Amino acid sequence: MPVAITYGRAEIGIDAPLVTVEADTSSGGLPQIVIVGLPETAVKESKDRVKAAIVNSGFSVPSRRVTVNLAPADLPKNGGRYDLAIALAILAASKQLPPDSLVGHEFLGELALDGEIRSVKGVLPAAIQGARSTRTLVVPSANSAEASLSRGENILTAQNMVQVTDYLKGNSRLPQPSPGEWKPAAPGKLKLSDIRGQYAAKRALIIAAAGAHNLVFIGPPGSGKTMLASRLADLLPPMSLQESLEVASIRSVSKYAFDIRDWGRRPFRTPHHTASAVALVGGSSPPKPGEISLAHQGVLFLDELPEYTRHVLEVLREPLESGRIIISRATQQVCFPAKFQLVAAMNPCPCGYHGDDSDRCTCTNDRVEKYRGRVSGPLMDRIDLHVDVPALPGGTLSDPKYKGNESEHSEAISNVERAREIMFFRGSSLNAHLGGKEMEEHCRLSATDSKFLDRAMETLGLSARGYYKVLKVARTIADIDGKQEIETGHLTEALSYRGLDRSTTI
């Protein structure tokens, strides 16, 4: 047969659909390689890389027209990931490899001109889906550590095309990736005990970690907002295997290099306030994940929240609710997971000292309202906890009695883990993600507390979403305290974290 068939894997978000690579040498015409099947520029250019790699690996390019088809034809193909599959299909079609040698194989890898197989992005999603098939997946040796995370036994690695052709001829064997290390990431070095004072803010941070709630810190410069936010990721429990694979897959298809040392570590992303909407949610062509997807199962920290462009902040509204982002382009639509915890920090006014006992603030009420108005009400409504972080009293940093207890951080982690165990025993989701029916079942209030919350809703001007946010936070506080029912104290504390809903100035 003049037609040879093998397989590769495309890169569509964190999905890796199967691509059939067909090579035909039966057509007449001038000697050339023609690639069809919706190839992008990098794929079209692969014919020149493939020609040189074939020759420099000791083979010859067929002296006739070669047609390479990448199917399905309506699936966009991009990058150099198909080079190895195309080269092997051409060699099999021209009978320089045994005709049946490609059966039961998939290939990924970009070819250098000397036949070396270079690393490509998106190997982990391809390895995960390839491990579920009956075919053997061959990947670049440079992607060995990444491919090993899939735990697939049908994955092989190769450094150059000669190794692959010798393997296909039955003359040698290819190594498997070294087994991945499935131990949790090492504990972080940032501790709650590093922060002096700010006990109320620390309490709010523990609540946020336990129930996966979003929060915003409001306070003057130097009060510890950034230090508090940076501790949240280390308060969260280790990720499950599935969560770790999701996070690693997103990193694998992003513009950032995959690092095996980050395996199992919750992301902590801190984009600058000049970041664009595309940088946050993802985009370009083909679509790549943005900061909110890179923060999946971790923390997205937005410092100086009002300094972000209003349009940029508004694109966060839907992902905060749905836990995913859909990026639509003319040729394709890609969905990236984006289940992150939003932590923001802001000053109470443009100069930062509004409400400070030092009377340094010269901002008028109009300037304060205009500054706070840069963050829309709908976005602030989606943030569960509004936490005041006042300036530290004099002597706090030098007085030994304010030094944090070394056990404070470990106790906080224990409280978070115990509360989450209660949540998962009760249902299948954390409190921040409870649906309507689950809330009716798990967030019941006594008649007195129900009336109390109704009055608070009118007084504070809470929206319906704000009402349910208070209930969810109260449920988390009750879980931390080990209580089966939400009590008045839990409800009062939850209401105290809705400071930006009040009409009065901070």
Side-chain angles (χ1 to χ4, degrees):
M1 289 291 291
V3 177
I5 300 175
T6 189
Y7 300 94
R9 292 275 173 182
E11 179 191 331
I12 307 296
I14 59 172
D15 192 18
L18 189 68
V19 172
T20 302
V21 181
E22 303 170 324
D24 174 46
T25 60
S26 64
S27 303
L30 297 174
Q32 60 177 320
I33 298 177
V34 179
I35 301 177
V36 297
L38 205 59
E40 300 291 342
T41 302
V43 182
K44 292 178 181 178
E45 292 175 346
S46 68
K47 61 180 181 289
D48 297 315
R49 295 191 297 271
V50 167
K51 284 181 183 179
I54 287 176
V55 173
N56 291 323
S57 298
F59 298 92
S60 60
V61 179
S63 58
R64 60 195 309 170
R65 178 186 172 95
V66 179
T67 303
V68 177
N69 179 43
L70 306 178
D74 60 346
L75 183 71
K77 323 305 188 300
N78 58 81
R81 59 196 300 113
Y82 306 102
D83 288 7
L84 181 59
I86 291 173
L88 296 174
I90 291 174
L91 293 179
S94 59
K95 295 186 172 55
Q96 298 180 72
L97 284 178
D100 298 332
S101 62
L102 302 183
V103 175
H105 289 84
E106 301 174 14
F107 301 93
L108 282 181
E110 178 183 331
L111 288 176
L113 299 185
D114 61 355
E116 179 188 356
I117 304 175
R118 290 174 173 162
S119 64
V120 294
K121 292 186 179 295
V123 165
L124 181 55
I128 291 172
Q129 294 191 238
R132 300 170 186 161
S133 72
T134 58
R135 290 178 291 272
T136 298
L137 174 65
V138 179
V139 302
S141 295
N143 294 116
S144 175
E146 181 180 345
S148 71
L149 298 177
S150 68
R151 289 183 131 177
E153 297 181 355
N154 55 341
I155 299 175
L156 302 175
T157 65
Q159 293 181 340
N160 54 61
M161 200 169 78
V162 172
Q163 289 183 349
V164 179
T165 54
D166 285 345
Y167 161 75
L168 293 173
K169 290 176 181 179
N171 298 331
S172 64
R173 301 179 65 180
L174 292 177
Q176 288 185 312
S178 56
E181 295 184 1
W182 301 99
K183 60 183 180 181
K189 298 180 180 180
L190 302 178
K191 308 294 184 182
L192 273 183
S193 53
D194 297 335
I195 303 172
R196 297 202 173 195
Q198 305 299 6
Y199 302 111
K202 290 180 184 179
R203 164 75 172 176
L205 199 64
I206 295 171
I207 294 170
H213 301 289
N214 304 315
L215 79 161
V216 57
F217 291 119
I218 311 103
S223 58
K225 303 185 294 296
T226 301
M227 287 188 67
L228 286 161
S230 63
R231 269 67 182 167
L232 178 57
D234 290 329
L235 289 177
L236 301 176
M239 292 189 290
S240 66
L241 175 59
Q242 182 60 37
E243 290 172 339
S244 297
L245 286 172
E246 288 179 356
V247 171
S249 294
I250 295 171
R251 185 78 180 194
S252 176
V253 302
S254 73
K255 63 181 181 181
Y256 302 99
F258 179 85
D259 191 343
I260 192 67
R261 292 172 295 182
D262 291 331
W263 168 253
R265 189 181 303 280
R266 290 192 182 270
F268 183 82
R269 304 295 300 182
T270 58
H272 192 260
H273 65 260
T274 57
S276 66
V278 171
L280 278 187
V281 303
S284 78
S285 184
K288 295 293 182 183
E291 291 291 338
I292 63 173
S293 293
L294 291 168
H296 180 62
Q297 300 297 349
V299 177
L300 178 70
F301 176 46
L302 302 183
D303 200 5
E304 305 297 343
L305 186 65
E307 301 300 330
Y308 286 81
T309 306
R310 178 77 172 256
H311 167 67
V312 171
L313 292 179
E314 293 307 293
V315 301
L316 296 176
R317 287 161 56 176
E318 289 80 5
L320 281 172
E321 294 289 329
S322 64
R324 61 176 185 166
I325 181 69
I326 298 176
I327 302 173
S328 298
R329 293 294 180 264
T331 57
Q332 62 187 130
Q333 187 180 75
V334 176
C335 179
F336 288 109
K339 185 177 288 186
F340 59 93
Q341 271 188 262
L342 175 64
V343 181
M346 59 183 289
N347 296 327
C349 67
C351 76
Y353 297 103
H354 184 78
D356 197 332
D357 294 338
S358 63
D359 294 328
R360 284 180 287 180
C361 180
T362 58
C363 300
T364 63
N365 286 336
D366 288 342
R367 288 192 66 196
V368 173
E369 293 300 323
K370 184 178 180 180
Y371 176 77
R372 290 174 50 183
R374 295 179 187 176
V375 184
S376 71
L379 175 61
M380 195 60 72
D381 203 33
R382 287 169 166 81
I383 300 179
D384 309 51
L385 305 170
H386 309 162
V387 184
D388 290 333
V389 186
L392 293 172
T396 301
L397 299 179
S398 59
D399 194 335
K401 74 177 182 180
Y402 289 105
K403 185 178 180 180
N405 190 336
E406 291 297 328
S407 63
E408 182 180 13
H409 190 79
S410 58
E411 290 175 359
I413 292 177
S414 298
N415 288 333
V416 170
E417 291 178 347
R418 184 170 59 252
R420 289 198 170 204
E421 287 176 1
I422 294 173
M423 296 174 202
F424 286 123
F425 179 79
R426 186 172 55 229
S428 59
S429 63
L430 297 172
N431 289 338
H433 308 143
L434 292 176
K437 291 184 179 180
E438 294 172 315
M439 288 192 62
E440 290 180 5
E441 182 178 356
H442 305 311
C443 300
R444 296 191 186 97
L445 298 177
S446 65
T448 302
D449 286 341
S450 182
K451 292 180 180 179
F452 170 67
L453 183 56
D454 287 340
R455 290 195 302 269
M457 184 177 180
E458 295 178 4
T459 303
L460 302 180
L462 293 177
S463 66
R465 180 184 287 110
Y467 177 90
Y468 290 117
K469 292 286 188 185
V470 170
L471 277 179
K472 293 176 182 179
V473 172
R475 178 67 268 174
T476 298
I477 297 171
D479 290 335
I480 292 175
D481 291 347
K483 303 294 185 179
Q484 292 186 351
E485 302 295 335
I486 298 175
E487 300 175 356
T488 304
H490 305 141
L491 201 58
T492 303
E493 184 177 357
L495 284 168
S496 71
Y497 296 127
R498 300 298 298 186
L500 295 182
D501 289 317
R502 299 182 179 88
S503 57
T504 55
T505 308
I506 299 176

